[in-house]
């Protein structure tokens, strides 16, 4: 009898069912679906249009208000492939990462708390809001990147005049899987400042030099990376050949360790020159992209995902992908990925697309699913 | 309006539902169920009797035979709390770990393969079988511990005359959650030996001394830890005061790193002296226990789980637990836990039971669930 | 008999002498001079005036010319306390570090070589010269800091029109002590460029962001730290309270590791605000100071060392020291130290001056020794 | 003018001399003697006969007695090549390491102290003496290895009836070179026991298993490695092919780290089978050998050094060496080396002897130097 047929036989299925009565399971039947020959994540490629997210966030201002309680006005990107994870799809955007867009209105406050999940933020729009992280107010401007590794107090306030939007990314699904989360509200609603505003960013406004007082720090001494610095870095780098797969790309680092700014989530800013069409590759890690500037498309496993400013899309683990900039100027993609998790666990592998001179054959175009 | 009532209001629920149409999710409603105030794992405490496992494995010899294909005759312990993980509960015994009992009959072969999951084995019964790991046959005897970290070729054969039973433990659910698994069958059915039998164990039969050729090895130079050595270690240690929570306990280590033998799963052998009643504590990590010798009970979150030789039971993350030896001699508990994962991610916390002089109040006795 | 008297007795001295015949030594007599109760380095505090160094370097241009062979026109600071180290005092400026000033004239070339000693450079005066490090020309300007960790090819050329002076610092005495030096001339006289000029500095001209291509690099991806960046860092930091012992101070770091730019030698730039008088402390590590800008004095073990622009001075291990800026504007001290060595070996200790409100009592003023 | 001639010219020598008046040094003249093309340590190969050492130690019992003060009755091996290191040749046996033989008589006490130097001991002869290390008495027997990393209290006593001899090895010259030593006598003459005797050795008497209480220990949890264990390790290993350069060899490791037992000094036990003649090689690190059992010779840089039980000899950095066992049974060589220092500093290199099928041409035999 052929193996698969055997595993589908009544004899086997009956036995499997009988085992379940005793809370036992048949490894022989399970292996192919649990230990895949190559990565086959629950999460699937998907793209969310900015118009939809923005509209829903604006509607949410009517429903979710700070005085009604709750922690944050954030709408997350729920990967259609992870709905079988209960509860709430574990708030999965990729298998391990959660991404959301948060909206805070002038005068609002998002209360301070801390948790075992690590968080980062990318500022999409607006100014005048701040995060208070461990007693330091970090004022946020478009293009800034902020990191709040696990265990640090953080809350938000807004002293400006316009709505403020930012991307949040956390390792919520990954930490959820371990069963080991802690979460604690701050005794004050919003933690009072105990350090100068923007302390870290001002101390680190040079290049690869570090205040001597920050030698041997265990925490993240730098919480806010200003756009002006990121821009200068991209400018310096763009004098040279871009990476064939990722364009001109930088990652934010922790000056205490030389590791990625957030221990479990890498954050990158990629500049795609005008007309740039990257080669395709795939890797074990997953990634979430936010289109900071420009328009173009990304081919993921043969499907074309067109994007323009503000959109978000997902490249799951081991999916072939390549990027094309159709803008008349440089496109800027901010992305987060779980490469640090893959490296920590020794799981990272990478493969270059082997056919068609490195470009995928396009099999179709993305169309949104509706539930 | 009170916060919870608000989150249950029709207005909110309708909006949440509407979001789902766009594959978006409302963080405000999700947080309490996803970011718990303290660990609240899917996995629950449970105990499996040896009689049941043994009976089902024997029945399985009629159904699952090597000639019918498939990888292993192993029945896993399916935690009743993780059934909402699709598919197959992710083969979860705790949130991150899988445990099973494997039975191999004389003359049978379990084919060689390798995968990104890490594995370990504890030999429960029988002799004459071996694992071939990276070209080295490791003959297995009762009480031996074997480790096969991710990426190593391994298969099994049996040259003895009696059925051979062992416990397998892998990080299947944890690796599944990341979406990053690779699995590969060996080109031969069973990898041919290329090193002397029991090479590692014989090279490491002294104490804390290492062959100089193994300096700087990146892999696990020692795959098999003989019971005679573990027994000597327990004997030496049992001259001193046992640990109040864990008795006289040792863990198996990798001589290249001083870390636990398997990078993601710790393996311990615990000796509970006659009459020993440990104090209760809880910790972020989860654990799976196998009763190697003796009888007694463990109180987990106030429920008493009586165990005797051969049984298996689970202590999920953050569950209060204490052990009692009711045997007339020492009890021996082999256990595996995900402490290395918790430490890698900086999640480990521990708490001593604060009331009743450190012993839990017993609220009931364990009764098996039937599906 | 009192211990010291006993060790000085004829009986003991005769026996000690007799032992020497057999190349044996008496530990009992040696311990107090070899295993000091607290650090008692061979190196002593000293100060070298820039006028002297400059004059001698200019004279050296008549004597040491590239066509006559030899590696470098550099005059080193020979610590008067280390002359008992044969040969050549091991070129010791402190116990572990060598410092020199190098002069290169327009059109001259210093040949490429590599060695197991690590090197760094601080540009004191001039422009138009470059270091070629691993195929990359790093053009040097006043205030720039360059690092050339062990094993990297490096040579120098000069395309400018004026004499160019820089400070070199290497771990020559430390490596000499181990007996483990390798040194190799490059097959070309001056290694030909194979990378764009100033490649690293241009790639790293933003803040704490790193080109993704430099993830996981084992070598030093950044060889040249421009003064404009260091200046920006000091400016940002000087809005806050200076360190009581070191003023407003930064160290140069390796973006791959978050460690000091050079694995064995830390390099710092310290800004002392106008009128700043630091508290005194001492630490296990030694330091070499170069006065980049300003004038003032440093009290070392109770002796006052007056300094002005261009001077060099040494603070040996465990010497009390405090700095005073007498300039009408900020003083800038560039310094190198062996703190990385001390930390690697677990030897670092630090002590705050316990008397007189933290300021040393001044016992005298420095006067140069002449041989 | 040819380079060397130029450096020897009167003009240059006069200038060099003039520089010295200002405590300045001419790098051009110094480089060849300070930055060697390959390792050229001060220390030279040498061999000390046991008869001499034993005789001198016995004579020393008349001179150096505990009541006369002083720390230890130990006679060290003073490398003839390091006499230019002042004071006392820095007690150098190799460039970085000190070795001595210590004699303690029944009833004597060597006072407790601690220091920044790391120490280890190998027990050559006798029984009944103990080291008290951090409150634990470690009783010593022939063949035992003890480690006392820096900073730990240690003193010795003797409850037996015969003279007790052991080898000491410390990193005295290496630490001396840094100028960073601390040394402190214990408030008690001999530290009182606060832990069970032989606590560590008894806890670690199994194989590669570790008491769970010793997870995450920063210090060295195992101070004494019993000969019975080392012997078992050699026996297990000797079933397999010996290393062509080092025979059947093991190193002692720290169970907390998998690193060598002593952070700066490796300790090895090598078994040379009967008739074994190793191939020659050389490496950056230096080594000190003690002949525990057997007789034979070692060829070092072409010179033959004949040894028999109890002798000591030195293989300096980068010296070619090969060992020959002339005994009728296995020879046992205990050795210490500074490989951990070389690895920490990234200096280790190794080379196989390229001529004559891997065996050196013998140019002469060792004859002791007399001063």
């Amino acid at each position: 009898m052929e193996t698969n047929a055997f595993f589908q036989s009544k004899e086997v299925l009956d036995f499997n069912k009988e085992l379940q009565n005793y809370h036992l399971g048949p490894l022989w039947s399970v292996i192919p679906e649990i230990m895949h020959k190559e990565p086959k994540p629950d999460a699937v490629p998907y793209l969310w249009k900015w118009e939809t997210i923005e509209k829903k966030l604006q509607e949410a201002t009517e429903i979710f208000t700070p005085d009604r309680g709750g922690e944050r006005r954030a709408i997350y990107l729920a990967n259609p492939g992870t709905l079988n994870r209960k509860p709430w799809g574990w708030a999965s955007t990729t298998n391990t990462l959660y991404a959301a867009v948060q909206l805070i209105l002038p005068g609002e406050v998002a209360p301070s708390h801390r948790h075992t999940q690590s968080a980062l933020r990318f500022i999409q729009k607006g100014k005048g809001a701040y995060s208070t992280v461990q007693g330091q107010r970090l004022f946020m401007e478009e293009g800034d990147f902020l990191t709040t590794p696990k265990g640090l107090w953080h809350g938000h306030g807004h002293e400006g005049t316009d709505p403020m939007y930012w991307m949040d990314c956390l390792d919520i699904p990954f930490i959820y899987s371990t069963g080991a989360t802690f979460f604690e509200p701050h005794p004050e609603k919003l933690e009072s400042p105990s350090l100068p505003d923007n302390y870290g960013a001002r101390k680190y406004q040079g290049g690869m030099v570090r205040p001597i007082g920050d030698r041997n720090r265990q925490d993240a001494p730098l919480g806010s990376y200003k756009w002006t610095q990121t821009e200068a870095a991209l400018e310096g780098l763009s004098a040279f050949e871009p990476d064939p797969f990722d364009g001109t790309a930088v990652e934010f680092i922790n000056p205490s360790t030389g590791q990625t700014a957030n221990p479990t989530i890498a954050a990158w800013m990629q500049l795609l020159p005008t007309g740039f069409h990257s080669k395709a590759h795939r890797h074990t890690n997953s990634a979430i992209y936010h289109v900071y500037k420009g328009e173009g498309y990304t081919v993921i496993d043969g499907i074309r995902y067109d994007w323009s400013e503000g959109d978000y899309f997902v490249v799951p683990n081991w999916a072939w992908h390549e990027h094309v900039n159709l803008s008349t100027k440089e496109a800027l993609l901010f992305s987060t990925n779980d490469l640090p998790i893959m490296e920590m666990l020794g799981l990272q592998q990478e493969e270059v697309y082997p056919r068609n001179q490195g470009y995928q054959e396009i099999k179709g175009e993305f169309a949104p699913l509706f539930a």
Side-chain angles (χ1 to χ4, degrees), chain A:
Chain A
M1 197 189 299
E2 193 262 323
T3 305
N4 283 341
F6 161 65
F7 286 127
Q8 296 307 319
S9 67
K10 183 168 186 309
E11 183 187 14
V12 166
L13 295 177
D14 284 352
F15 187 74
N16 291 354
K17 190 135 197 248
E18 160 74 1
L19 282 182
Q20 287 174 37
N21 289 332
Y22 300 95
H23 295 292
L24 295 172
L27 178 64
W28 48 84
S29 291
V30 164
I31 275 194
E33 292 177 55
I34 292 287
M35 300 174 78
H36 305 122
K37 298 222 167 166
E38 61 183 34
K40 206 173 135 188
D42 294 338
V44 296
Y46 206 73
L47 181 144
W48 293 261
K49 295 303 293 178
W50 173 239
E51 295 73 26
T52 313
I53 300 169
E54 190 180 30
K55 180 163 173 291
K56 290 296 159 197
L57 274 170
Q58 282 164 357
E59 290 169 19
T61 60
E62 309 286 320
I63 290 173
F64 178 89
T65 55
D67 59 305
R68 282 170 147 182
E71 298 284 332
R72 298 288 186 266
R73 184 192 292 116
I75 290 180
Y76 66 85
L77 312 176
N79 194 293
T82 58
L83 304 178
N84 59 354
R85 294 176 162 193
K86 304 292 173 197
W88 299 101
W90 295 7
S92 301
T93 307
T94 75
N95 258 42
T96 59
L97 300 181
Y98 152 103
V101 186
Q102 186 162 166
L103 166 58
I104 185 166
L105 298 180
E108 288 185 344
V109 156
S112 293
H113 57 212
R114 65 179 177 185
H115 40 66
T116 41
Q117 291 83 358
S118 286
L120 58 82
R121 267 163 265 299
F122 179 76
I123 310 312
Q124 197 174 336
K125 246 192 198 184
K127 58 187 263 193
Y130 57 86
S131 282
T132 302
V133 179
Q134 300 283 115
Q136 182 183 156
R137 299 200 305 175
L138 314 175
F139 279 85
M140 302 184 269
E141 296 171 296
E142 246 194 72
D144 287 357
F145 165 74
L146 282 83
T147 180
T148 314
K150 77 176 158 49
L152 303 189
W153 293 115
H154 58 287
H156 313 297
H158 193 345
E159 300 187 340
T161 52
D162 296 306
M164 180 110 190
Y165 293 91
W166 68 72
M167 174 191 184
D168 284 315
C169 184
L170 289 89
D171 51 7
I172 292 176
F174 182 59
I175 298 300
Y176 185 89
S177 81
T178 66
T181 77
F182 291 89
F183 179 100
E184 191 181 357
H186 195 272
E188 303 175 276
K189 187 183 179 65
L190 183 61
E191 184 193 8
S192 304
S194 57
L195 285 170
D197 287 350
N198 302 317
Y199 187 47
R202 289 157 77 196
K203 289 198 302 176
Y204 281 90
Q205 71 183 27
M208 285 293 160
V209 293
R210 169 174 57 199
I212 56 161
D214 285 351
R215 301 189 80 249
N216 305 322
R217 278 183 66 166
Q218 299 303 310
D219 60 353
L222 179 56
S224 169
Y225 299 69
K226 302 304 290 177
W227 172 246
T228 47
Q229 295 240 310
T230 310
E231 198 175 29
L234 291 171
E235 191 186 310
L237 196 56
S238 62
F240 310 108
E241 202 59 36
D243 180 272
F245 305 106
D246 290 303
T248 294
V250 291
E251 72 170 337
F252 300 90
I253 65 171
N254 176 341
S256 290
T257 62
Q259 300 297 304
T260 192
N262 196 309
T264 49
I265 316 170
W268 292 15
M269 178 56 77
Q270 293 173 240
L271 177 159
L272 310 183
T274 318
F276 183 77
H277 185 154
S278 81
K279 300 265 177 166
H281 69 160
R282 63 179 178 180
H283 35 60
T284 309
N285 72 276
S286 65
I288 303 168
Y289 281 87
H290 164 62
V291 182
Y292 180 45
K293 300 288 175 200
E295 52 190 325
Y297 66 90
T298 294
V299 185
I300 309 176
D301 279 345
I303 304 299
R304 172 176 164 153
Y305 293 75
D306 282 89
W307 40 255
S308 54
E309 194 171 314
D311 292 351
Y312 288 83
F313 62 95
V314 160
V315 178
N317 322 59
W318 211 237
W320 295 113
H321 58 284
E322 66 197 79
H323 306 295
V324 183
N325 178 11
L326 298 178
S327 321
T328 53
K329 51 183 191 165
E330 295 160 344
L332 292 168
L333 301 179
F334 174 79
S335 69
T336 63
N337 65 61
D338 56 4
L339 179 49
I341 293 173
M342 298 304 161
E343 290 182 332
M344 200 187 297
L345 299 173
L347 299 172
Q348 185 67 359
Q349 296 193 30
E350 192 173 336
E351 217 171 85
V352 170
Y353 193 71
R355 291 183 300 278
N356 194 32
Q357 293 171 303
Y359 301 103
Q360 296 166 77
E361 300 81 1
I362 296 185
K363 299 181 290 190
E365 291 194 14
F366 168 70
L369 292 170
F370 291 97

